[in-house]
Amino acid sequence: MRFKRGVAVAAIALTSVLSVVGCAKDSGTSSNAPGDAGDSKGCQTVDKPAAAEGGATSSDPGASVDGSKLKVGLAFDIGGRGDASFNDSAAAGLDEAISQMGVKKENTKELTATDQESEDAKQARLRQLAQEGRNPIVAVGFAYSTAAVEVAKQYPNLKFAVIDGFAEGAPKNVTFLGFAEHEGSFLVGVIAALKSEKCTIGFVGGVNIPLIQKFQAGFEQGVKAVAPDAKVESTYITEAGDLTGFTDAPKGQVAAKGLIDKGADVVYHAAGASGKGVFAAAKEANVMAIGVDSDQYNQATVAEYKDVIISSMLKRVDVAVYDYIAAVASNDLTKLPPVFDLKVDGVGYSTSGGKIDAETQEWVDAYKQQIIDGKITVSDAPSGS
């Protein structure tokens, strides 16, 4: 039985965007009715794009796969299960493999990273899983890249995967699972532009690194595609080298408040567990927020903020983990896509909570199809970077 993917459904220049979607309207856009003429609130928008045609394609590596003989090891990034974001999405993929593929829960092992740990600690964690005979071993987060390569060389008969990983000279038993975060972020940028009444929109990144810059780039491009004159304020909690930007909710709250004080009435975060602070700031100021990775409206650990969460950018780490386990179980890693993008439902957006009305969804899905069809190319680096 295949993984239940659920509802998953940026660098062209601004002039390229406008050539696709037309010139800006004279009328404003309210947060409830995109494109309504005569409304004094909201962003001035381009013409609504044509309705989406066609659809995403998807692989099905989990169909009729028996995973009962696997002993899966999962090495979480800092925060582990319960972060309401990146790690929880990975955990959901393993849980689904247990439910749908016959992986035995008692044969799985989960370990979690700690703040500011050494490279040796990461290697020790992966080596522990390897010594226990876990196979495959999935490491959650780019920070495991070097550690996975080194440990995989010592255990050539075991298979390793790294979410968001990258490294030169990796052995064949290491698979890097990457995502088109910029494509998914473009979609929630469209939502932000349509929902904002002040036409000032914020982005909070956890750590200022190329991976998180992909979220910023796609989001800003999505906003500008709909509302070329919109103002997007972006900030980062910490700079490269300081990973506490992903685990410090109070700093996330301060960062978001700074954007809200500048007029932002929709704030999108790509900050891991620090996103709880972003939601807290949004609730305190009575503005809207957009989550990341998981459907954060439905995450118990941020339930107190769900009334301000209008959508989440879905980075389907759950799909990647499940599909990788399935590929190992079937001994065919060629079934995996080169990148988990919109075409394979690797990224998307959520509609939980009923705050995304039908017309907004039509806008978003039209842009989604244009990206899938290659009519829009989404940048993976912020403009000017």
Side-chain angles (χ1 to χ4, degrees):
M1 185 174 181
R2 70 172 296 171
F3 186 95
K4 299 176 181 176
R5 296 174 185 262
V7 179
V9 177
I12 56 172
L14 177 59
T15 53
S16 297
V17 175
L18 295 179
S19 69
V20 173
V21 294
C23 298
K25 292 182 180 179
D26 292 332
S27 60
T29 299
S30 75
S31 62
N32 295 317
D36 279 356
D39 195 326
S40 61
K41 294 182 179 181
C43 298
Q44 291 185 330
T45 69
V46 299
D47 291 325
K48 182 177 178 181
E53 296 181 1
T57 60
S58 63
S59 58
D60 191 9
S64 303
V65 171
D66 179 10
S68 61
K69 295 181 180 180
L70 298 180
K71 298 176 66 177
V72 182
L74 192 59
F76 286 121
D77 202 348
I78 50 178
R81 273 191 188 260
D83 74 340
S85 186
F86 191 66
N87 290 297
D88 272 353
S89 186
L94 176 58
D95 292 345
E96 194 71 14
I98 292 170
S99 172
Q100 303 295 336
M101 210 186 304
V103 173
K104 297 178 181 178
K105 185 176 179 60
E106 60 269 24
N107 286 342
T108 66
K109 182 71 169 284
E110 299 176 5
L111 299 174
T112 302
T114 58
D115 284 350
Q116 302 299 312
E117 69 179 13
S118 66
E119 182 64 27
D120 286 344
K122 291 179 174 61
Q123 291 192 27
R125 183 174 303 110
L126 297 183
R127 193 172 292 110
Q128 176 185 339
L129 294 171
Q131 290 171 344
E132 294 175 357
R134 308 293 170 183
N135 189 28
I137 297 170
V138 181
V140 185
F142 68 91
Y144 280 105
S145 297
T146 299
V149 168
E150 293 305 312
V151 177
K153 290 176 180 177
Q154 300 166 17
Y155 296 89
N157 294 324
L158 303 183
K159 290 183 172 61
F160 296 78
V162 186
I163 303 294
D164 290 334
F166 54 90
E168 297 291 337
K172 292 182 179 179
N173 59 329
V174 177
T175 300
F176 295 129
L177 302 173
F179 298 81
E181 297 94 346
H182 47 309
E183 292 184 356
S185 296
F186 183 105
L187 301 186
V188 295
V190 172
I191 291 172
L194 294 174
K195 292 297 182 181
S196 176
E197 294 189 350
K198 296 182 178 180
C199 211
T200 298
I201 295 157
F203 169 81
V204 177
V207 182
N208 192 1
I209 54 176
L211 173 61
I212 305 305
Q213 290 169 6
K214 290 172 68 178
F215 292 82
Q216 177 191 350
F219 181 66
E220 291 177 345
Q221 187 176 341
V223 170
K224 294 290 189 176
V226 172
D229 295 330
K231 185 177 182 181
V232 183
E233 298 280 358
S234 297
T235 190
Y236 285 86
I237 298 172
T238 60
E239 292 301 310
D242 182 359
L243 297 183
T244 61
F246 293 129
T247 59
D248 196 327
K251 286 185 179 179
Q253 185 167 0
V254 170
K257 185 178 185 304
L259 300 181
I260 293 167
D261 288 345
K262 291 181 178 181
D265 62 353
V266 183
V267 181
Y268 170 47
H269 86 86
S274 298
K276 296 178 184 180
V278 174
F279 294 148
K283 184 167 184 176
E284 182 179 2
N286 194 31
V287 301
M288 294 170 280
I290 297 175
V292 76
D293 296 336
S294 302
D295 184 352
Q296 296 200 287
Y297 181 89
N298 289 321
Q299 288 286 341
T301 54
V302 291
E304 63 185 297
Y305 308 119
K306 66 190 305 180
D307 55 323
V308 301
I309 301 174
I310 60 173
S311 183
S312 295
M313 195 287 282
L314 301 178
K315 179 175 176 178
R316 303 305 302 272
V317 177
D318 52 345
V319 171
V321 169
Y322 180 90
D323 286 1
Y324 175 71
I325 294 172
V328 172
S330 62
N331 196 31
D332 187 3
L333 296 180
T334 65
K335 293 181 178 180
L336 295 170
V339 62
F340 287 86
D341 57 12
L342 284 177
K343 292 181 180 179
V344 297
D345 288 340
V347 291
Y349 71 102
S350 67
T351 58
S352 299
K355 298 178 178 66
I356 305 300
D357 55 89
E359 187 175 1
T360 298
Q361 204 164 341
E362 289 174 2
W363 277 74
V364 179
D365 289 344
Y367 280 111
K368 174 182 176 180
Q369 194 60 47
Q370 288 184 18
I371 295 169
I372 291 172
D373 293 342
K375 296 177 180 178
I376 291 178
T377 300
V378 186
S379 176
D380 61 2
S383 59
S385 65

